[in-house]
Amino acid sequence: TWIILISATAVSIFPYLLDSAFTYRTGFPLDDSWIHQTYARNLALRGEWSFLPGQLSGGSTAPLWSALLAIGFKLGLSPFIWTFFLGGLCLFLLALSTEAGMRKIFKEYQGKIPWVGLLIIFEWHLVWASVSGMETILLALIAFILVFSLIRKPTSWLLLGVLAGISVWVRPDGVTLIGPIIFVALFSQPTWKLRTRLVCYVLFGFAIFFLPYLLFNLTLAGTPFPTTFYAKQAEYSSWQARPIFERMGEVAILFPGVIITTGWAIRNKAWGMVSAILWMTGYVGIYLLRLPAYQHGRYLMPVMPEYLLIGYFGYLQFLLSKK
């Protein structure tokens, strides 16, 4: 399976890079990508967290991603080669995780061809994310691992909290992942004593990484979140003033499989699946309120693997019900 997925990852990524190179030249499509590269370069070569050399600042919304990019500068590699490698690796791991996830929750899904993994690899939004130089694909990977752990019934609630805390260092949006974890902790336990204990484990693990993140930004920028986070809110204030139903129409996501899965999850009290669906809905809802679905809807891409998995699961449930 992994050999097929590695080959498919190369097949999906290289045509994009070649087309980009021949159309204009090799590069990144967004100014945010270059912001990450600048922070990474200064961290690697100057040992400081800055955009302008000598001026410490909190302008990177993805400190962990910038730190990973800095490894390439330390090794003397081309930022393009190292960044595309990281993005491709995340895409491959995401496909591998999604494929393994479907085989675990749906025993009837068999065969040598990893259809679900291939669906992830050739989903053009995710391919674009993997070579955009942005942290989106890394957040999608972390979010899927966390959400799928909830679907499969967690073995370590502390670790789930830690993973949610780490995700905030990739993007501030990661803070939303604490919601589904607490939801499952509350609904999966028979007594309030156990529920309270699990929630404390989760919050403790989350705080280990989230509190340093707040301190990091407060020290550099004087605000709990990166300065660019607030800049986006100001930039799209006019969008936020538009009627909510008008905004919903631009990014409406309707897929019968998700609806079928929702019904199945509620009937079977599959709280992990329910939490995943609620997280997807809430995540998309937050962005509907705050930002437009511009640049291929890149802010919504982290929910796509869960959306595809849950939708495909519902589709297979429907086919089985007809036999």
Side-chain angles (χ1 to χ4, degrees), residues 262-314:
T262 302
W264 173 89
I266 294 174
R267 288 194 304 272
N268 291 275
K269 296 183 178 180
W271 302 122
M273 189 73 81
V274 172
S275 74
I277 295 168
L278 289 175
W279 175 70
M280 288 192 307
T281 304
Y283 192 96
V284 173
I286 290 172
Y287 271 109
L288 282 174
L289 291 172
R290 308 308 299 176
L291 295 172
Y294 70 135
Q295 294 170 343
H296 309 312
R298 67 180 174 95
Y299 289 119
L300 303 181
M301 291 177 189
V303 306
M304 294 189 71
E306 290 81 1
Y307 175 72
L308 293 173
L309 179 72
I310 291 171
Y312 196 50
F313 178 84

Side-chain angles (χ1 to χ4, degrees), residues 86-128:
L86 285 180
L89 178 62
C90 288
L91 180 63
F92 162 71
L93 293 176
L94 180 58
L96 191 65
S97 300
T98 312
E99 176 68 23
M102 176 57 80
R103 290 181 184 268
K104 288 179 180 177
I105 65 174
F106 200 83
K107 300 302 181 183
E108 290 81 1
Y109 175 64
Q110 301 294 334
K112 295 182 178 180
I113 300 178
W115 294 111
V116 172
L118 292 174
L119 179 64
I120 293 292
I121 285 175
F122 289 104
E123 207 298 315
W124 74 266
H125 295 87
L126 297 177
V127 177
W128 179 88

Side-chain angles (χ1 to χ4, degrees), residues 4-287:
I4 295 176
L5 294 179
I6 286 179
S7 302
T9 301
V11 169
S12 70
I13 286 178
F14 282 129
Y16 176 93
L17 296 178
L18 288 174
D19 181 67
S20 173
F22 284 112
T23 300
Y24 185 55
R25 61 171 176 245
T26 301
F28 302 115
L30 304 172
D31 56 348
D32 290 7
S33 307
W34 292 105
I35 291 174
H36 296 327
Q37 293 290 337
T38 303
Y39 274 96
R41 182 192 63 204
N42 289 338
L43 177 62
L45 304 183
R46 300 176 63 90
E48 61 184 30
W49 194 258
S50 65
F51 183 77
L52 297 175
Q55 298 181 24
L56 300 183
S57 62
S60 173
T61 53
L64 180 56
W65 180 249
S66 295
L68 291 174
L69 295 178
I71 296 174
F73 285 99
K74 270 292 186 184
L75 296 175
L77 299 175
S78 162
F80 296 119
I81 293 176
W82 180 248
T83 305
F84 295 148
F85 168 76
L86 285 180
L89 178 62
C90 288
L91 180 63
F92 162 71
L93 293 176
L94 180 58
L96 191 65
S97 300
T98 312
E99 176 68 23
M102 176 57 80
R103 290 181 184 268
K104 288 179 180 177
I105 65 174
F106 200 83
K107 300 302 181 183
E108 290 81 1
Y109 175 64
Q110 301 294 334
K112 295 182 178 180
I113 300 178
W115 294 111
V116 172
L118 292 174
L119 179 64
I120 293 292
I121 285 175
F122 289 104
E123 207 298 315
W124 74 266
H125 295 87
L126 297 177
V127 177
W128 179 88
S130 69
V131 292
S132 68
M134 295 296 292
E135 72 284 353
T136 310
I137 196 70
L138 178 58
L139 179 60
L141 174 61
I142 293 175
F144 180 82
I145 292 172
L146 190 153
V147 170
F148 183 73
S149 296
L150 293 174
I151 294 175
R152 284 284 292 169
K153 297 182 180 179
T155 56
S156 174
W157 293 91
L158 177 65
L159 184 58
L160 285 177
V162 166
L163 198 57
I166 292 174
S167 72
V168 179
W169 286 86
V170 179
R171 272 200 65 80
D173 324 16
V175 72
T176 61
L177 289 168
I178 199 69
I181 305 175
I182 293 178
F183 177 89
V184 176
L186 292 176
F187 277 85
S188 64
Q189 302 304 313
T191 67
W192 276 105
K193 182 178 181 180
L194 285 173
R195 293 168 186 165
T196 303
R197 180 186 302 173
L198 294 187
V199 169
C200 287
Y201 284 150
V202 171
L203 292 179
F204 178 73
F206 180 69
I208 291 174
F209 285 90
F210 184 61
L211 294 181
Y213 172 81
L214 296 179
L215 182 61
F216 176 80
N217 288 302
L218 285 170
T219 302
L220 292 174
T223 55
F225 290 96
T227 53
T228 45
F229 174 82
Y230 301 98
K232 291 291 184 185
Q233 307 306 309
E235 181 181 358
Y236 292 104
S237 57
S238 60
W239 158 267
Q240 297 163 14
R242 293 166 62 183
I244 182 63
F245 291 107
E246 181 181 344
R247 286 178 266 165
M248 288 175 61
E250 294 189 15
V251 293
I253 300 176
L254 296 175
F255 188 40
V258 175
I259 298 175
I260 294 172
T261 302
T262 302
W264 173 89
I266 294 174
R267 288 194 304 272
N268 291 275
K269 296 183 178 180
W271 302 122
M273 189 73 81
V274 172
S275 74
I277 295 168
L278 289 175
W279 175 70
M280 288 192 307
T281 304
Y283 192 96
V284 173
I286 290 172
Y287 271 109

